[in-house]
């Protein structure tokens, strides 16, 4: 896989121009509608300032599609449970597409039953969990999104990779900016370490350990070591929760068995996801819910500020503001990523992906 050197001279793309460019890349591998959707997810992550889940992911995704390690045209199987539950077998499709389908099911069932749980297996990396939270918010539902991931983080007390840096994600609707929490169970998302390595930047010393179990500021050393759990045993406990719900219960790989998409180009990942949706008007009317939710946010933001803070923001608020600005003013793309986009467009034009992925 080609790497790109750091360059500080960005090129500004309009949101739509970048979306169109990335769509053209994935159109070399995926059906047109799927290519458009996956591209939109990556560009939205860029716009929100979540570059660790943005266009820098493209070379790995496309390489896996070219090799047939990811199924470009999966056939999803949906097994209905009790009515409020379901299981989606992803047929080794791109995680974005498996997750969209599973959240569609969770939304439909949540609307009907008040609450739903949909588990997904045979999936791959699904990008930014906020993507699927927004899907539920747009449908007027609150949601929890869980996933497991390749082992990059030790269980508390250990020093070898066992848990994924799986995101814990929650959102609730609002008449204004929804509260949207999307956080890794590690000190930092591992993608940020990978991004630092790609750009030749150092990392804070409390992010990760090297292969010898020592703290490091080198992202390259961290890539060969482990990222630390958030809050010590608390982050480790949340990581185990992800494995139990998204991994064990879904029938996917678990406990260190999820394959790393960045280093294993021979086998499917078999990632598991969980999507929980629920109506906010189960105990109160919808108008009462919105009034109460807005009151909660207003009172939280009116709290006396600690030293060094100019204002208090809710989870997801900063990212939403960045996205709004990016859609007005454009997205700055580094020279190395501009070169990458050009190279990927050329590869997509020549691509002859396999019709099915290995099992």
């Amino acid at each position: 896989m080609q790497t790109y050197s750091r360059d500080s001279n960005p090129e500004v793309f309009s949101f739509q121009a970048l979306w169109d460019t990335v769509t053209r890349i994935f159109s070399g591998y995926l059906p047109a509608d799927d290519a458009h959707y996956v591209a939109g997810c990556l560009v939205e992550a860029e716009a929100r300032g979540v570059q660790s889940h943005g266009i820098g992911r493209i070379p790995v995704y496309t390489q896996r599609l070219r090799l047939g390690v990811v199924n470009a045209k999966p056939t999803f199987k949906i097994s209905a449970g009790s009515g409020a539950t379901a299981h989606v077998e992803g047929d080794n499709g791109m995680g974005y597409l498996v997750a969209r389908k599973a959240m569609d099911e969770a939304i439909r069932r949540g609307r009907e039953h008040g609450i739903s749980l949909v588990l997904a297996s045979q999936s791959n990396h699904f990008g930014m969990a906020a993507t699927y939270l927004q899907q539920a918010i747009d449908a007027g539902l609150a949601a929890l999104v869980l996933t497991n991931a390749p082992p990059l983080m030790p269980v508390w007390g250990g020093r070898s990779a066992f848990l994924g840096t799986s995101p814990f994600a929650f959102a609730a609707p609002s008449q204004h900016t929804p509260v949207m929490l999307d956080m890794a169970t590690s000190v930092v998302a591992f993608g940020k370490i990978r991004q630092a390595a790609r750009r030749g930047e150092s990392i804070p010393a409390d992010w990760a350990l090297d292969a010898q179990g020592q703290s490091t500021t080198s992202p390259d050393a961290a890539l060969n070591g482990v990222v630390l759990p958030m809050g010590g045993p608390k982050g480790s406990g949340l990581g185990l929760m992800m494995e139990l719900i998204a991994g064990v219960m879904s029938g996917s790989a678990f406990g260190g068995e999820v394959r790393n998409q960045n280093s294993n180009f021979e086998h499917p990942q078999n990632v598991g996801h969980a999507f929980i949706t629920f109506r906010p008007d189960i105990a109160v009317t919808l108008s009462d819910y919105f009034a109460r939710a807005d009151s909660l946010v207003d009172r939280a933001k009116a709290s006396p500020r600690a030293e060094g803070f100019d204002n208090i923001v809710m989870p997801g608020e900063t990212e939403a503001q960045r996205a709004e600005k990016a859609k007005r003013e454009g997205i700055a793309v580094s020279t190395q990523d501009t070169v990458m986009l050009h190279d990927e467009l050329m590869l997509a034009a020549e691509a002859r992906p396999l019709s099915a992925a290995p099992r």
Side-chain angles (χ1 to χ4, degrees), residues 1 4 55-63 66 340 344:
M1 182 176 64
Y4 302 88
I55 62 173
R57 295 271 181 173
I58 292 172
V60 166
Y61 291 154
T62 57
Q63 185 171 355
R66 281 194 298 275
M340 177 272 291
E344 288 293 330

Side-chain angles (χ1 to χ4, degrees), residues 50-107:
V50 189
Q51 286 91 355
S52 60
H53 289 67
I55 62 173
R57 295 271 181 173
I58 292 172
V60 166
Y61 291 154
T62 57
Q63 185 171 355
R64 295 179 72 81
L65 286 164
R66 281 194 298 275
L67 293 171
V69 185
V70 171
N71 189 352
K73 296 181 180 179
T75 300
F76 301 139
K77 293 182 180 178
I78 303 172
S79 303
S82 65
T85 63
H87 176 220
V88 175
E89 294 181 41
D91 195 24
N92 193 35
M94 287 201 75
Y96 295 88
L97 306 176
V98 178
R100 177 180 60 173
K101 181 64 175 178
M103 182 53 93
D104 280 342
E105 285 294 317
I107 288 169

Side-chain angles (χ1 to χ4, degrees), residues 63-357:
Q63 185 171 355
R64 295 179 72 81
L65 286 164
R66 281 194 298 275
L67 293 171
V69 185
V70 171
N71 189 352
K73 296 181 180 179
T75 300
F76 301 139
K77 293 182 180 178
I78 303 172
S79 303
S82 65
T85 63
H87 176 220
V88 175
E89 294 181 41
D91 195 24
N92 193 35
M94 287 201 75
Y96 295 88
L97 306 176
V98 178
R100 177 180 60 173
K101 181 64 175 178
M103 182 53 93
D104 280 342
E105 285 294 317
I107 288 169
R108 182 174 68 81
R109 294 164 192 271
R111 281 172 165 167
E112 180 179 355
H113 299 282
I115 189 168
S116 73
L117 168 63
V118 176
L119 301 173
S121 61
Q122 300 175 26
S123 187
N124 290 279
H125 184 261
F126 73 0
M128 182 177 65
T131 299
Y132 316 105
L133 294 177
Q134 189 63 54
Q135 195 177 336
I137 290 295
D138 290 343
L141 299 176
L144 280 161
V145 174
L146 313 176
T147 187
N148 68 355
L152 297 170
M153 185 174 77
V155 68
W156 184 244
R159 67 175 187 178
S160 61
F162 181 76
L163 300 170
T165 58
S166 310
F168 180 89
F170 166 79
S174 169
Q175 296 185 91
H176 306 295
T177 301
V179 173
M180 187 177 290
L181 174 67
D182 180 1
M183 66 178 196
T185 49
S186 55
V187 172
V188 66
F190 204 72
K192 291 188 177 180
I193 296 176
R194 193 175 295 110
Q195 182 185 39
R198 193 164 61 92
R199 294 182 174 181
E201 300 169 347
S202 62
I203 61 172
D206 60 351
W207 278 13
L209 305 178
D210 63 19
Q212 288 72 47
Q214 302 296 314
S215 64
T216 181
T217 60
S218 165
D220 294 315
L223 291 174
N224 293 314
V226 291
V227 64
L228 292 170
M230 166 195 69
K234 297 178 182 179
S236 175
L238 286 172
L240 285 168
M241 181 189 75
M242 305 292 182
E243 290 292 343
L244 282 165
I245 299 175
V248 173
M249 293 183 189
S250 74
S252 70
F254 66 92
E257 295 175 344
V258 176
R259 296 183 177 99
N260 192 319
Q261 68 170 353
N262 299 291
S263 58
N264 186 324
F265 290 87
E266 298 178 354
H267 303 98
Q269 285 192 280
N270 195 11
V271 178
H273 316 306
F275 303 87
I276 301 167
T277 66
F278 47 99
R279 292 203 317 258
D281 59 345
I282 293 173
V284 297
T285 67
L286 195 58
S287 60
D288 282 346
Y289 162 76
F290 281 122
R292 292 165 64 84
D294 288 345
S295 175
L296 172 67
V297 171
D298 289 344
R299 286 154 54 191
K301 292 172 76 70
S303 298
R305 294 189 293 273
E307 184 177 354
F309 286 83
D310 295 327
N311 61 347
I312 293 172
V313 296
M314 294 295 99
E317 185 176 359
T318 299
E319 291 83 356
Q321 291 170 352
R322 286 179 188 146
E324 183 180 345
K325 181 179 179 181
K327 290 170 185 179
R328 289 195 316 266
E329 301 178 7
I331 299 172
V333 176
S334 67
T335 298
Q336 76 227 35
D337 280 344
T338 302
V339 171
M340 177 272 291
L341 291 172
H342 178 267
D343 290 349
E344 288 293 330
L345 284 168
M346 294 180 64
L347 288 169
E350 300 170 355
R352 294 292 184 271
L354 300 180
S355 60

